[in-house]
């Protein structure tokens, strides 16, 4: 009879204890946000953002900040770390710019590491450790694919310009052929305080996420500041998942609901989150209905874009959300609004010997020229000829002079089997033009062991990255930056290299050696033996 | 009668000279022709490609160290030559090099005929070849013309070798050693001919021991050239990028040689072993040939040139054009050669099929690498048969000259 009472007391006591522990440790702040944006072509972008700010991350004390990442970050002396898994390609012309800079197809990793004598070893260890954490082939980012861009990939966390370049170095590597799947998502989810048990992250259903047009998942660890003076900089881990769904494909209409997209509803906010919002970017036209209506509607001052906010901490019941358009079926807009800057890259030429790369850089801004940083990493087996670099603007070749679009050019030559070529340029794109860069290359003939098992599929060449710094803004004062960079990623490319006959090694060794032996034997014979006349006796014996 | 023959002979000579200049100048006018020839794997290799040289010059002029990468593998002194020569003069330079080469080979023939004037002859000998015919053979050799039009830098190596031989036969020690040092500097393999050049010098002044002096001269010139290169590019990277590249074969681009497909298909653990064997095999013939043909060093130059052209790591038809240029000098051995018909056919066969099979593999996709590999084997065998047969003929003729009493008897090797 008395037992239930005691149980209730015990539970109550435990609850009080737990609450007091959490309130004592207020160091880490967890925020979760889901941004939903209906795209102009009827697709729906869902962008999840989970961030944890921690002011004291050291080796012993972890609160909400994931220990596995924190330890890797500390051990390998990283200053900033960005890892992105992407499947599919972001369609810049149809969708505009992504909310978080999406990476090119495959896996992209870049980090600023503190300078010391073990920096390259740390980078190798970092890639290996992350490979273990995320079940990805990141350990294949070796010196053959690692580069140090000079213009692109500035830090995204706070930094002091003069201090950074003396004390840290950038390393960048990508694996364009890497597939992203559930086995990468599961460890990613485990980094979250509520896993996928509660809150916004409970929507992350891998069956639905990988059944989409575009999927990008990332982890960013970087130092941030809360106040202007930046007395105590915090470490932030930002985890994002961006997915583009296509409701039109299924129903012919743009209507969507959370349940339809993810096969789930949100039961409650994550109790550990201090902020738990669903943000719906409201379309400019008004022929839609949302259920339920947003709890509050906010407006971005500069662009007049409105968005509705649902604060999940105030929602007591299961949270459902749906959006309906007042139309029988969706009609595609034939002339979508294009973003200012976008790019396409492709191979030219034919045959397996020579080829070329062409990049079209579009500036659709009718009045302003735009400065971009172009960064292209080309594997060593494409031997670039820099003297064939041609720049055309709207089809007219420009080779020098003030109108020459390339203002600054860094070029690192490839070394066979050890490092790729890197071409980085500071390019000024004139208003309303197409600037085209083209360069020729020779394809290398590589050993039969260097071909992948599916040799005739070809080799992947990672995306070129275009960074526009037009948005660069110093938030606080002149020496402390936190830039917003827009990365525009071009297509990854697939190139087939000339293949040998893989079944032939023994035949080739035998045949070539026979030819050499033929010469050696005959020559040896001629050089060591003398001519003699056969006398009559010898002939008779014969 | 004799005057008319002489006249027609000079007329023929002039005709050949004019024709060879015209062919070169006319074809140089077509950018297509030079571009196609300049990218054919049979004609240019990574160590002689003019396109790569252009890239090297571009990098050099733009402050990028040209040897800090995998694209440029030619010696540094070629950079300033082409950096300061206007593009329009390049065809003239290449044509002139060919013409001077022809002149030198003609003079070499003349000197050789003078040297061996008093030697006993074999009964099978016909009249001596006229020196201008040797020059004509070189100038009108399709291999020579293609190499010249492709602007391959092997032309410089060939020129240095022939100039070295010429000065050696003239007895000019310093120039001869400079020539062979230059050739070694440009493409490494001519180092095998140093001893032969010394022997050629020795023919002029028998009895005097000049070997030590010549070797010191050679080392001096070579280190001078390498030192100058260091001053030009400011680092020693070029040594590994040029000579290391030739020896270690890091680029497996197809050519008409035996290395590329062998090392594409080679198992990694045996790669170094076979690399050493193959390179040694190329260099090792210098010693026995020099000893065997110590009375005919010029003939040994021909054979060693041939061995280099077949067994070097990046051979091209330009290398073949060098050694084939020396063949007509020894016109007297032609009667002793047994496989002339076969050799001619193999050369025709492989020059016809090599481009076709390469096209089938790389562009049409209807053939595979084995097609082109097979034709490189055929080409190599053609060269090998030519070299072996010429060596046989030379030795057989020597035997006849030395033993006139054994004429008509059956002869065997012992």
């Amino acid at each position: 009879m008395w037992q239930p009472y005691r149980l209730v007391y015990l539970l109550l006591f435990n609850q009080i204890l737990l609450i007091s522990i959490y309130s004592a440790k207020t160091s880490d702040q967890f925020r979760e946000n889901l941004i939903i944006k209906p795209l102009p072509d009827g697709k729906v972008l869902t962008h999840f953002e989970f961030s944890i700010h921690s002011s004291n991350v050291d080796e012993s004390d972890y609160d909400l900040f994931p220990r596995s990442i924190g330890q890797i970050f500390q051990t390998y002396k990283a200053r900033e770390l960005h890892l992105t898994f992407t499947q599919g390609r972001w369609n810049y012309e149809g969708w505009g710019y992504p909310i978080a800079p999406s990476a090119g197809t495959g896996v992209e990793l870049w980090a600023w590491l503190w300078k010391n004598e073990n920096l390259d070893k740390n980078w190798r260890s970092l890639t290996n450790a992350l490979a273990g954490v995320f079940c990805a082939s990141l350990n294949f980012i070796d010196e053959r694919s690692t580069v140090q861009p000079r213009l692109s990939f500035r830090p995204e966390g706070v930094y002091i310009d003069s201090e950074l370049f003396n004390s840290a170095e950038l390393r960048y590597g990508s694996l364009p052929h890497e597939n992203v799947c559930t086995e990468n998502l599961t460890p990613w989810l485990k980094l979250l305080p509520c896993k996928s048990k509660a809150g916004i992250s409970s929507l992350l259903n891998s069956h639905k996420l990988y059944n989409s047009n575009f999927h990008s998942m990332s982890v960013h660890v970087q130092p941030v500041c809360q106040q202007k003076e930046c007395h105590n900089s915090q470490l932030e881990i930002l985890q994002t998942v961006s997915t583009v769904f296509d409701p039109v494909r299924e129903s012919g209409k743009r209507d969507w609901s959370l349940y339809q997209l993810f096969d789930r509803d949100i039961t409650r906010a994550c109790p550990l989150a201090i902020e738990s919002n669903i943000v719906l970017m409201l379309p400019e036209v008004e022929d839609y209905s949302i259920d339920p209506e947003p709890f509050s509607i906010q407006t971005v001052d500069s662009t007049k874009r409105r968005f509705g906010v649902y604060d999940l901490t105030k929602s007591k019941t299961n949270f459902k959300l749906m959006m309906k358009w007042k139309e029988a079926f969706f009609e595609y807009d034939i002339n979508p609004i294009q973003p200012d800057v976008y790019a396409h890259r492709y191979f030219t030429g034919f045959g397996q010997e020579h080829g070329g790369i062409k990049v079209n850089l579009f500036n659709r801004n009718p009045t302003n020229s735009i400065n971009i940083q172009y960064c292209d990493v080309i594997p060593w087996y494409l031997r670039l000829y820099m003297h064939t670099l041609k720049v055309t603007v709207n089809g007219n070749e420009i080779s020098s002079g003030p109108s020459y679009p390339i203002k600054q050019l860094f070029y690192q030559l490839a070394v066979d089997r050890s490092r790729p070529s890197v071409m980085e340029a500071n390019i000024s794109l004139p208003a309303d033009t197409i600037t085209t860069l083209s360069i020729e290359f020779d394809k290398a003939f590589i050993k039969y062991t260097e071909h992948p098992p599916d040799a005739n599929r070809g080799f992947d060449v990672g995306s070129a990255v275009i960074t526009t710094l037009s948005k660069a803004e110093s938030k606080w004062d002149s020496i402390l930056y936190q830039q917003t960079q827009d990365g525009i990623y071009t297509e990854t490319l697939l190139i087939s290299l000339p293949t040998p006959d893989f079944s032939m090694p023994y035949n080739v060794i035998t045949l070539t050696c026979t030819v050499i032996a033929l010469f050696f034997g005959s020559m040896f014979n001629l050089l060591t033996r003398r001519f003699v006349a056969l006398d009559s006796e010898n002939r008779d014996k014969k | 009668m004799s005057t008319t023959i002489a006249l027609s002979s000079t007329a023929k000579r002039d005709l050949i000279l004019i024709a060879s200049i015209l062919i070169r100048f006319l074809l140089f006018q077509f950018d297509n022709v030079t571009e196609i020839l300049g990218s054919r794997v049979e004609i240019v290799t990574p160590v002689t490609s003019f396109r790569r040289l252009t890239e090297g010059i571009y990098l050099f002029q733009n402050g990028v160290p040209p040897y800090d990468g995998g694209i440029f593998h030619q010696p540094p002194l070629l950079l300033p030559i082409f950096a300061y020569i206007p593009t329009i003069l390049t065809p003239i330079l290449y044509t002139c090099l060919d013409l001077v080469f022809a002149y030198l080979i003609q003079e070499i023939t003349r000197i050789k005929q003078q040297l061996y004037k008093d030697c006993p002859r074999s009964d099978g000998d016909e009249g001596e070849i006229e020196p201008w015919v040797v020059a004509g053979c070189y100038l009108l050799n399709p291999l020579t013309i293609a190499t010249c039009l492709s602007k391959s830098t092997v032309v410089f190596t060939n020129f240095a070798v022939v100039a070295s031989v010429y000065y050696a036969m003239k007895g000019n020690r310093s120039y001869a050693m400079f020539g062979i040092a230059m050739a070694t500097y440009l493409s490494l393999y001519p180092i095998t001919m140093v001893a032969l050049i010394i022997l050629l010098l020795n023919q002029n002044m028998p009895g005097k021991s000049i070997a030590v002096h010549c070797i010191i001269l050679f080392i001096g010139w070579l280190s001078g050239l390498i030192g100058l290169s260091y001053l030009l590019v400011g680092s020693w990277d070029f040594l590994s990028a040029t000579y290391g590249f030739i020896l270690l074969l890091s680029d497996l681009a197809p050519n008409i040689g035996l290395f590329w497909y062998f090392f594409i298909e080679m198992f990694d653990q045996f790669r170094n072993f076979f690399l050493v064997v193959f390179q040694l095999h190329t260099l090792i013939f210098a010693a026995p040939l020099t000893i065997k043909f110590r009375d005919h060093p010029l003939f040994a130059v021909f054979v060693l040139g041939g061995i280099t052209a077949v067994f070097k790591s990046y051979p091209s038809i330009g290398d073949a054009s060098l050694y084939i240029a020396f063949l007509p000098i020894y016109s007297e051995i032609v009667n002793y050669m047994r496989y002339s018909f076969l050799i001619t056919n193999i050369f025709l066969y492989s020059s016809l099929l090599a481009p076709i099979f390469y096209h089938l593999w790389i562009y049409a996709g209807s053939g595979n690498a084995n097609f082109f590999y097979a034709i490189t084997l055929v080409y190599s065998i053609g060269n090998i048969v030519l070299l072996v047969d010429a060596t046989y003929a030379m030795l057989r003729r020597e035997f006849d000259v030395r033993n006139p009493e054994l004429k008509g008897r059956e002869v065997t090797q012992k």
Side-chain angles (χ1 to χ4, degrees), chain B residues 364-377:
Chain B
S366 50
N368 68 7
N370 298 341
F371 282 54
F372 187 67
Y373 168 63
I375 215 69
T376 64
L377 284 185

Side-chain angles (χ1 to χ4, degrees), chain B residues 190-202:
Chain B
I191 200 168
T192 52
M193 295 184 189
V194 174
L196 292 174
I197 298 294
I198 296 173
L199 277 180
L200 280 172
L201 280 163
N202 214 22

Side-chain angles (χ1 to χ4, degrees), chain B residues 6 19 84 89 97 125 148 150 168 185 215 276 289 308 319 358 370 384 391:
Chain B
Y84 299 115
L89 290 183
L97 276 176
D125 287 1
C148 174
S150 75
Y185 168 80
I215 287 172
V276 170
L289 277 171
T308 310
D319 296 290
Y358 190 74
N370 298 341
I384 286 171
T391 311

